[in-house]
Amino acid sequence: MIQPIEHAAEILSTARRAVALTGAGISVESGIPPFRGKGGLWEKIDPMKVAHIDAFLKDPETVWKLLIKDMKRLLDTARPNPGHSGLADLERLGILKTVITQNVDGLHQMAGNSDVIEFHGNFAWQSCLDCNRSIETSQVDLTTLPPRCSCGGILRPDCVFFGELIPQKALIRSQQVSAACDVMLVIGTSAMVQPAATMPFIAKDNGAFIIEINPEATPLTSRISNLPLLGDAGSIMPRLLKALRRRLATP
Ligand code: NAD
Ligand code: ZN
């Protein structure tokens, strides 16, 4: 029987419009904890409560202290890992067209992917709740929390809190590329956050082959994944790229 990594490489070697859907898991090996799963933030706080827009508007100081401050500290220094680089390599090979990410860390762009749909916005910028001015997160002073704009208004990150709508453009483009792809790589997502979790179903309904990379089974694994690769993205992706390059080099 063909090994799963070889099978995935074979599928990708003939793909022309592959798309990746990524979640917090792909950034774990860059030192950013996920929400769910082992070592996840969920073990310490309930993100459904703390990362909810109502909680932020009611008590921005607490949400900055419990969640956003630490996120800023982690993201200021985080670098892409071999999982991200593997996706950048797949784009360079002409196989991967788009990355749909639920992450707000900017690591796909840093790794070199050029078409990244940020489904939940990004953490690189903050907006003032009063005057709507944008400020780069790296420039924000955290001496007093919540940090404020020069107008006195409270700053919030440009990411989507629970209870907020997905940016319309990101949602529509994600649906389009999911419907048009021939292979979807689903990497490091628990597939529990909607509507991102519907993208693999859209892809599958339109005939795509679903390759899933995750150390744990998800609701997708037994339902729609054609090929689950059980393991960490940072170790699976380099092996997958190696197997793929070998195939592409063999006439
Ligand atoms: P999640 O936290 O719900 O699930 C993470 C998944 O990654 C789990 O299924 C886990 O088994 C898997 N995983 C853990 N380590 C892995 C590894 N090394 N390689 C591959 N997979 C691994 O993540 P989610 O589904 O993305 O949903 C949480 C939401 O929280 C996201 O929508 C995102 O907006 C936000 N979030 C973002 C970041 C970030 O930007 N890096 C971090 C935490 C949370
Ligand atoms: Zn302002």
Side-chain angles (χ1 to χ4, degrees):
M1 204 183 84
I2 185 165
Q3 291 297 316
I5 297 258
E6 287 296 333
H7 188 188
E10 182 191 356
I11 296 289
L12 285 169
S13 68
T14 57
R16 292 293 167 264
R17 298 182 313 279
V19 164
L21 171 69
T22 66
I26 198 169
S27 295
V28 166
E29 289 155 276
S30 293
I32 307 169
F35 277 177
R36 298 172 185 80
K38 210 161 75 24
L41 274 178
W42 210 281
E43 288 173 356
K44 293 179 217 145
I45 56 168
D46 181 351
M48 273 300 205
K49 284 193 191 134
V50 180
H52 198 286
I53 187 61
D54 294 344
F56 181 79
L57 293 176
K58 199 167 146 218
D59 186 358
E61 182 184 343
T62 299
V63 177
W64 263 100
K65 276 186 182 158
L66 286 180
L67 190 68
I68 313 177
K69 181 168 66 71
D70 288 347
M71 197 78 170
K72 172 170 157 44
R73 190 177 46 78
L74 286 171
L75 298 197
D76 275 350
T77 52
R79 291 289 167 269
N81 68 59
H84 300 103
S85 322
L87 289 180
D89 289 346
L90 275 182
E91 178 181 321
R92 274 181 224 112
L93 291 169
I95 293 169
L96 183 74
K97 300 300 176 205
T98 303
V99 177
I100 305 168
T101 189
Q102 298 165 82
N103 298 342
V104 295
D105 53 32
L107 294 181
H108 288 301
Q109 294 91 324
M110 210 186 280
N113 281 106
S114 59
D115 187 24
V116 180
I117 302 176
E118 293 181 308
F119 206 79
H120 292 155
N122 71 74
F123 199 82
W125 292 87
Q126 305 279 326
S127 303
C128 170
L129 288 183
D130 288 353
C131 74
N132 212 26
R133 188 175 150 226
S134 284
I135 296 165
E136 256 188 280
T137 302
S138 59
Q139 304 303 313
V140 171
D141 176 13
L142 299 184
T143 326
T144 50
L145 295 177
R148 290 177 187 271
C149 166
S150 51
C151 82
I154 290 167
L155 295 176
R156 62 155 291 168
D158 282 353
C159 27
V160 178
F161 282 90
F162 287 114
E164 289 190 301
L165 290 176
I166 303 300
Q168 199 60 13
K169 222 171 111 194
L171 179 59
I172 291 171
R173 261 212 85 214
S174 297
Q175 289 164 335
Q176 285 168 342
V177 299
S178 298
C181 69
D182 47 10
V183 175
M184 180 174 271
L185 284 154
V186 183
I187 310 178
T189 176
S190 61
M192 310 244 243
V193 180
Q194 294 293 357
T198 59
M199 299 307 145
F201 288 89
I202 295 176
K204 179 90 175 194
D205 280 350
N206 286 277
F209 189 95
I210 312 291
I211 299 172
E212 188 183 16
I213 302 177
N214 199 309
E216 290 172 24
T218 74
L220 304 179
T221 312
S222 57
R223 286 181 68 193
I224 63 158
S225 291
N226 296 98
L227 185 51
L229 301 176
L230 213 63
D232 292 338
S235 58
I236 301 253
M237 283 306 283
R239 287 165 59 203
L240 180 54
L241 262 297
K242 197 170 163 201
L244 177 62
R245 287 206 171 92
R246 212 181 313 115
R247 272 174 193 274
L248 295 175
T250 319

